[in-house]
Amino acid sequence: MAGTCVRGIRGAITVERNTAEDIIQATGELLQAIMVENELNPEDIASAFFTVTADLNAEFPATAARELLGWKYVPLLCAREIDVPGRLPRCIRVLVHVNTTRSQREIKHVYLREATSLRNDLLPR
């Protein structure tokens, strides 16, 4: 078995409205799915980097990680996604860095709602 290393897990989800409630709920849903799919504990999380599209500014996605999942000591950062014309609106993306013994091929990336269109190649077949 290989030793522990840091791996990245990608995920994304869309929201219907630019409200704090929608952003917090959707981010919590996404992070919970990442945790379950990859059999993670909060202690496995090294850090998380969130981006949101320009049309989302009612709340920081990191708020959900702290309030819903208890990631009090996990370094979290939020930024605005590059505003490419015609791309998926109202989208929250995350890159979670985890300490794991899993290989890159064993990592399960999670795309929910309309965000499934972003990385069809990574979804279960």
Side-chain angles (χ1 to χ4, degrees), residues 58-70:
E59 185 58 86
F60 295 108
T63 300
R66 289 189 188 98
E67 291 181 0
L68 301 180
L69 298 172

Side-chain angles (χ1 to χ4, degrees), residues 99-116:
N99 297 303
T100 184
T101 57
R102 292 178 182 223
S103 70
Q104 284 183 330
R105 288 184 180 257
E106 294 172 305
I107 295 295
K108 296 177 183 170
H109 305 279
V110 177
Y111 292 84
L112 303 174
R113 301 180 189 170
E114 293 178 46
T116 58

Side-chain angles (χ1 to χ4, degrees), residues 87-101:
R87 294 304 170 122
L88 186 63
R90 298 177 316 280
C91 187
I92 301 163
R93 293 172 172 86
V94 67
L95 173 59
V96 181
H97 303 101
V98 300
N99 297 303
T100 184
T101 57

Side-chain angles (χ1 to χ4, degrees), residues 3-113:
T4 301
C5 63
V6 176
R7 298 271 187 223
I9 302 175
R10 283 296 317 273
I13 192 168
T14 54
V15 297
E16 288 293 319
R17 300 168 298 148
N18 179 31
T19 66
E21 297 81 22
D22 280 12
I23 292 169
I24 289 171
Q25 186 280 327
T27 304
E29 179 183 338
L30 175 62
L31 295 177
Q32 187 64 38
I34 288 171
M35 299 282 289
V36 169
E37 287 295 320
N38 291 282
E39 300 175 7
L40 299 171
N41 296 308
E43 283 293 317
D44 298 327
I45 310 300
S47 65
F49 180 64
F50 299 91
T51 64
V52 294
T53 49
D55 50 7
L56 296 179
N57 63 4
E59 185 58 86
F60 295 108
T63 300
R66 289 189 188 98
E67 291 181 0
L68 301 180
L69 298 172
W71 292 10
K72 181 178 179 181
Y73 300 108
V74 177
L76 306 171
L77 183 65
C78 300
R80 181 173 286 173
E81 185 73 27
I82 297 170
D83 193 15
V84 177
R87 294 304 170 122
L88 186 63
R90 298 177 316 280
C91 187
I92 301 163
R93 293 172 172 86
V94 67
L95 173 59
V96 181
H97 303 101
V98 300
N99 297 303
T100 184
T101 57
R102 292 178 182 223
S103 70
Q104 284 183 330
R105 288 184 180 257
E106 294 172 305
I107 295 295
K108 296 177 183 170
H109 305 279
V110 177
Y111 292 84
L112 303 174
R113 301 180 189 170

